[in-house]
């Protein structure tokens, strides 16, 4: 099958979060299954570090009566040779950030992604791409579903193209003032509560949900959660109306990048069989790097993520203050950036308890790998989590996840209880409430097992490290769905 994946970020070219990991890894996995895949993303400043070639093809798009010109560059995902088309318009995309800088969203985000949306559909014609399915991702690409249905489906070469829309995080909906409708080039009649409008605003995520042939989200449990309140963030009714074409497919991970046997960011490597010595060496390296006392016997708890309300770092901060004040022998290593208030709270915490807490406020893929390898426990107190990737990385590195029982965390971490202990299927600890009692319970459970039941701990590590978290299975499920939505597509 011929698949065009359109996204606003894809690793390693441009990344702010898990969306990029998925859009970097899924094309490779689909290509390995024998599909003909191409990826298309904006040519941000970060993409310019990678070698690419101009295609010489120009595109002209009319946005609110103005002619806007751009072009396409082309590069390849290394090794597997999947082509990546980069939509180039320096005014829109050659900036410090992808969507914002200094925590301020770019004022022209709607216009930037309207341009990108037209550029994706025009690429099919201008670059002569063979496409059976366009796979869209998140609000930045939602308009493409409407444009395909309303404008393009009647054009030669577009008649048979089906559209799949994946929601990676329903909290981000691409909401703009009603006046932004003029940028889309679509008739005002589509600005109604059944299609593109939501509470008097243009909503591009809703647009994607309404106009696509099929919808997926990144785990089966999250697919259930978003069809009711509060999980649906106001779009639960829209999703319930489309429930028959809504599926949950759990994300995989790039098992080449995230492999404790070969990880290029680690000085010491290990397998499931050598994890005991291997993880200790990684722990000592991490302590060294983070200026913590070098001790193999102390439990190290790691956290990595965006500093937002969603990720629950505020709960972790409260927990760490309590544990440190009580003199508990634990080391904490935190990596993240985002909310400036949280950033300051983390810095204060680290300066007050410098022997127990190390904090790094920045984005560092290298340090993320080192924390995940060198920690004993990985904490994810997310208030909601569509799928979550860092717990999957932790599992692969034998780092036991302690997670709030929400979204994809429920699908990917198997809680320790008498049954799973006996069946040797437990891989982590789930706690029910995202509050201080919940997180304290979860961490205390984990510390108790770590300190007092080493055999259970070792078994959990072994089970976790032997799980198949690769993209292979999930890519197969996407391929099945592509087929299904093509079959079910209404005739023009
Ligand atoms: P989300 O997409 O909601 O941010 P995920 O767990 O799905 O959460 O994916 C987050 C990805 O971003 C992971 O690859 C994680 O390692 C990475 N990440 C997040 N914050 C940082 C950071 N400060 N430094 C390095 N990597 C980070």
């Amino acid at each position: 099958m011929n698949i065009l994946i359109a996204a606003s970020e894809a690793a390693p070219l441009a990344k702010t979060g898990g969306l990029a990991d998925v859009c970097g890894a899924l094309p490779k996995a689909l290509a390995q299954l024998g599909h003909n895949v191409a990826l298309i993303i904006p040519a941000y400043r970060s993409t310019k570090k990678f070698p690419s070639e101009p295609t010489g093809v120009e595109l002209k798009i009319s946005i609110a009566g103005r002619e806007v010109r751009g072009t396409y560059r082309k590069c390849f995902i290394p090794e597997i040779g999947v082509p990546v088309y980069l939509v180039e318009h320096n005014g829109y995309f050659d900036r410090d950030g992808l969507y914002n800088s200094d925590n301020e969203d770019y004022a022209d985000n709607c216009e930037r992604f309207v341009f990108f949306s037209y550029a994706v559909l025009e690429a099919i014609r201008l670059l002569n791409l063979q496409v059976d399915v366009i796979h869209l991702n998140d609000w930045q690409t939602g308009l493409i579903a409407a444009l395909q249905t309303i404008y393009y489906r009647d054009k030669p070469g577009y008649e048979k193209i089906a559209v799949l829309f994946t929601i990676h995080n329903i909290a981000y909906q691409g909401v703009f003032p009603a006046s932004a409708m003029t940028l889309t080039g679509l008739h005002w009649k589509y600005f109604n509560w059944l299609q593109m409008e939501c509470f008097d605003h243009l909503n591009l995520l809703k647009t994607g949900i309404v106009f696509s042939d099929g919808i997926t989200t990144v785990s089966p449990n999250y697919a259930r959660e978003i069809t009711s309140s509060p999980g649906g963030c106001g779009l639960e009714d829209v999703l319930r109306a489309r429930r028959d074409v809504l599926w949950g497919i759990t994300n995989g991970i790039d098992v080449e990048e995230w492999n404790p046997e070969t990880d290029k960011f680690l000085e010491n490597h290990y397998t499931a069989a050598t994890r005991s010595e291997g993880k200790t060496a990684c722990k000592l390296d991490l302590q060294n790097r983070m200026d913590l006392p070098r001790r193999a016997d102390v439990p190290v708890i790691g956290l990595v993520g965006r500093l937002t309300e969603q990720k629950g770092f505020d709960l972790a901060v409260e927990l760490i203050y309590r544990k440190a004040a009580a003199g508990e022998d634990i080391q904490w290593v935190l990596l993240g950036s985002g909310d400036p208030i949280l950033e300051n709270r983390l810095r204060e915490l680290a300066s007050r308890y410098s022997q127990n807490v190390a904090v790094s406020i920045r984005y560092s893929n290298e340090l993320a790998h080192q924390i995940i390898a060198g920690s004993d426990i990985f904490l994810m107190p997310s208030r909601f989590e569509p799928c979550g990737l860092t717990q999957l990385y932790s599992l692969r590195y034998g780092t036991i996840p302690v997670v709030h029982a929400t979204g994809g965390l429920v699908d990917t971490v198997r809680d320790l209880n008498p049954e799973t202990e006996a069946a040797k299927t437990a891989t982590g600890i789930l706690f029910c409430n995202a509050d201080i009692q919940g997180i304290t319970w979860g961490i205390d459970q984990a510390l108790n097992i770590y300190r007092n039941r080493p055999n259970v701990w070792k078994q959990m590590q072994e089970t976790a490290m032997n799980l198949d978290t690769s993209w292979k299975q999930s890519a197969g499920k996407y391929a099945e769905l592509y087929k299904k939505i093509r079959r079910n597509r209404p005739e023009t």
Side-chain angles (χ1 to χ4, degrees), residues 15-19 21 169 258 304-306 310-311 335-337 362-365 368 380 385 388-390 393:
K15 171 166 166 176
T16 67
L19 169 65
D21 292 303
N169 191 338
W258 293 91
V304 177
R306 292 179 293 115
Q310 175 194 344
K311 299 288 174 183
L335 167 66
S337 61
R362 61 189 167 123
Y363 186 93
S364 164
N365 191 30
M380 269 179 101
E385 194 60 77
L389 293 173
T390 41
Y393 302 145

Side-chain angles (χ1 to χ4, degrees), residues 323-374:
K323 294 282 188 200
E328 271 207 51
D329 191 20
I330 307 171
Q331 289 184 355
W332 305 83
V333 182
L334 296 91
L335 167 66
S337 61
D339 178 1
I341 296 174
L342 256 177
E343 288 184 354
N344 281 335
R345 288 184 63 198
L346 292 189
R347 285 193 194 99
E348 277 164 28
L349 179 65
S351 72
R352 183 141 169 209
Y353 294 107
S354 58
Q355 293 300 293
N356 295 84
V357 186
V359 160
S360 182
I361 305 290
R362 61 189 167 123
Y363 186 93
S364 164
N365 191 30
E366 178 176 345
L367 185 57
H369 280 249
Q370 290 157 351
I371 292 176
I372 285 170

